[in-house]
Amino acid sequence: VINKAKEQAKAEGRSFSSEDLFQYYQQRTSQNDVPTMLMALSAAVMKADGSVKKSELEFVKAFLKQQFGPQFNQTHLNTLKSFIDQRESLPLSQICGDIRARMRTEVRIQLLHYLFGIAKSDGEVSQSEMSMLQNIAQLMGVPQMDFTSVQNMFHRNTESDYKVLGISKDATDQEVKKAYRKMAVRYHPDKVAQMGEEYQKGAKEKFQRIQESYENIKKERNI
């Protein structure tokens, strides 16, 4: 992808830019090439802290193999490497805008969950990775409540169970119950039933975390 963009820019007497990269990205995704979308955002998260780790690469490879099965091949890994190796900044605004136009909110939230998985694959989510994830979420139009919920599934503190449900610790018992019912519906795995196996697996994990958070709060409050 990157080399072709450079070649065309050179042939046209122009310097290579991130806009050239996005044009080739668009061509690759014109037929709803979801793997290329994932490669672009995966590379952005992997490069966020300045060091691409083996654990991150293995996480991406395992996800894509399960998600796309026989359709996943070396070409996708070459595309990922191209995005990682290129020095120009990835045109995240255009890429995320493209994803926002193509995918429902529920699918974009699941995509964010996958990207958090990359960041956490080495054991922790660094501040630079967190900033990148926040930026991507905003550009994809993921509501802040959903970002905070997914964030606290990977980056926990004393209030994480409440944040997973989208509420604060001073919420009433009734508000806790209402928030649980709302999030259980919003994050139900059926929302991404049309997606691949790994998307569904991630959705089930999120749904389970919501249930666990609710149970933890009930125990804490003796509800």
Side-chain angles (χ1 to χ4, degrees):
V1 174
I2 308 300
N3 290 336
K4 290 181 180 179
K6 286 181 177 179
E7 289 171 4
Q8 181 165 330
K10 182 177 180 180
E12 295 174 357
R14 298 181 290 103
S15 60
F16 174 69
S17 69
S18 60
E19 190 61 36
D20 294 315
L21 174 59
F22 181 64
Q23 289 176 3
Y24 273 90
Y25 162 86
Q26 280 188 312
Q27 292 174 16
R28 290 291 301 274
T29 60
S30 61
Q31 299 301 319
N32 200 27
D33 184 1
V34 176
T36 299
M37 295 179 184
L38 293 178
M39 294 301 92
L41 295 188
S42 298
V45 174
M46 294 167 75
K47 295 171 63 176
D49 60 1
S51 174
V52 177
K53 301 176 180 63
K54 183 178 180 180
S55 59
E56 295 171 334
L57 179 59
E58 292 302 318
F59 181 91
V60 173
K61 287 168 65 176
F63 177 91
L64 293 171
K65 185 176 180 179
Q66 288 294 321
Q67 175 69 19
F68 299 104
Q71 297 178 18
F72 174 65
N73 54 48
Q74 187 62 40
T75 300
H76 296 118
L77 292 179
N78 291 340
T79 299
L80 175 64
K81 186 177 186 301
S82 294
F83 283 130
I84 290 174
D85 290 346
Q86 65 97 18
R87 296 181 180 179
E88 296 291 331
S89 298
L90 286 168
L92 287 179
S93 180
Q94 297 99 315
I95 291 173
C96 290
D98 189 37
I99 291 173
R100 185 173 183 172
R102 293 171 185 265
M103 297 181 174
R104 302 193 325 275
T105 302
E106 295 82 7
V107 179
R108 283 178 270 137
I109 292 171
Q110 184 54 42
L111 176 54
L112 178 65
H113 185 272
Y114 155 73
L115 295 174
F116 260 103
I118 296 175
K120 189 65 181 291
S121 64
D122 63 349
E124 64 176 351
V125 181
S126 69
Q127 187 55 52
S128 56
E129 289 171 329
M130 188 68 73
S131 297
M132 175 61 72
L133 290 163
Q134 176 78 71
N135 184 36
I136 289 173
Q138 290 176 342
L139 292 172
M140 289 197 303
V142 173
Q144 182 60 42
M145 178 192 72
D146 293 296
F147 176 85
T148 301
S149 178
V150 175
Q151 174 188 12
N152 280 274
M153 295 177 187
F154 290 89
H155 187 74
R156 296 183 62 76
N157 57 39
T158 57
E159 296 187 10
S160 287
D161 287 325
Y162 291 91
K163 291 179 179 179
V164 166
L165 296 185
I167 54 177
S168 62
K169 200 166 185 176
D170 59 1
T172 66
D173 289 354
Q174 193 61 36
E175 288 171 336
V176 169
K177 294 176 182 178
K178 183 178 179 181
Y180 166 69
R181 289 193 295 268
K182 177 181 177 181
M183 296 299 275
V185 171
R186 185 172 181 80
Y187 282 69
H188 197 281
D190 286 350
K191 295 283 187 177
V192 293
Q194 79 284 5
M195 301 299 289
E197 180 181 340
E198 282 300 293
Y199 266 108
Q200 294 175 38
K201 178 183 176 183
K204 291 175 182 177
E205 290 174 356
K206 287 207 310 299
F207 189 68
Q208 182 177 354
R209 286 302 305 276
I210 288 168
Q211 292 177 311
E212 289 175 353
S213 292
Y214 182 51
E215 291 300 320
N216 290 340
I217 293 173
K218 286 201 300 181
K219 290 178 181 179
E220 175 190 327
R221 296 186 173 208
N222 293 318
I223 297 177

